[in-house]
C-alpha cells in the first residue's frame, strides 16, 4: 500500500477526516508500516503495514505495546 492509501484507509476506519491524520501519523521503518493516532481523548490508533495488515488499539494501549503486538503478528480482522 502507498502512504496515501494507508492514510485514506486509516481515516475511514477511525472515522476522521484525512486532514486530521495527515499531521498525526508516522512511518515505522522497522515494521514497513505507518502509525496513526487520533489526537483527542479516547481516540484510537492504528498500525497499517505495506501489506495491508492492520492492528487497532484503543487509547488505553500505549505505542510501545501496540508496536510489540504488531511485530509479533497480531492483526485486527476487518470483518
Amino acid at each position: 500500500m502507498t502512504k496515501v492509501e494507508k492514510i485514506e484507509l486509516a481515516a475511514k476506519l477511525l472515522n476522521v477526516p484525512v486532514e486530521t491524520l495527515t499531521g498525526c501519523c508516522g512511518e515505522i521503518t522497522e515494521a514497513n508500516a505507518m502509525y496513526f493516532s487520533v489526537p483527542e481523548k479516547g481516540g484510537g490508533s492504528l498500525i497499517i503495514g505495506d501489506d495491508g495488515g492492520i492492528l487497532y488499539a484503543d487509547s488505553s494501549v500505549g505505542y510501545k505495546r501496540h508496536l510489540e503486538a504488531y511485530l509479533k503478528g497480531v492483526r485486527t480482522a476487518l470483518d
Side-chain angles (χ1 to χ4, degrees):
M1 295 183 79
T2 67
K3 180 177 180 175
V4 171
E5 290 171 328
K6 290 177 200 169
I7 292 171
E8 289 172 349
L9 178 57
K12 178 182 173 187
L13 294 173
L14 294 170
N15 197 29
V16 297
V18 168
E19 298 77 26
T20 299
L21 291 181
T22 302
C24 55
C25 65
E27 296 282 341
I28 309 172
T29 55
E30 70 270 23
N32 295 315
M34 286 188 72
Y35 177 74
F36 301 89
S37 185
V38 176
E40 59 188 47
K41 185 174 180 162
S45 298
L46 289 173
I47 295 176
I48 302 178
D50 289 350
D51 64 356
I54 297 169
L55 182 59
Y56 172 81
D58 65 29
S59 61
S60 70
V61 178
Y63 173 76
K64 184 177 177 180
R65 266 190 22 202
H66 193 179
L67 179 58
E68 287 172 353
Y70 183 85
L71 292 173
K72 288 179 182 176
V74 177
R75 299 295 185 269
T76 301
L78 293 180
D79 52 349

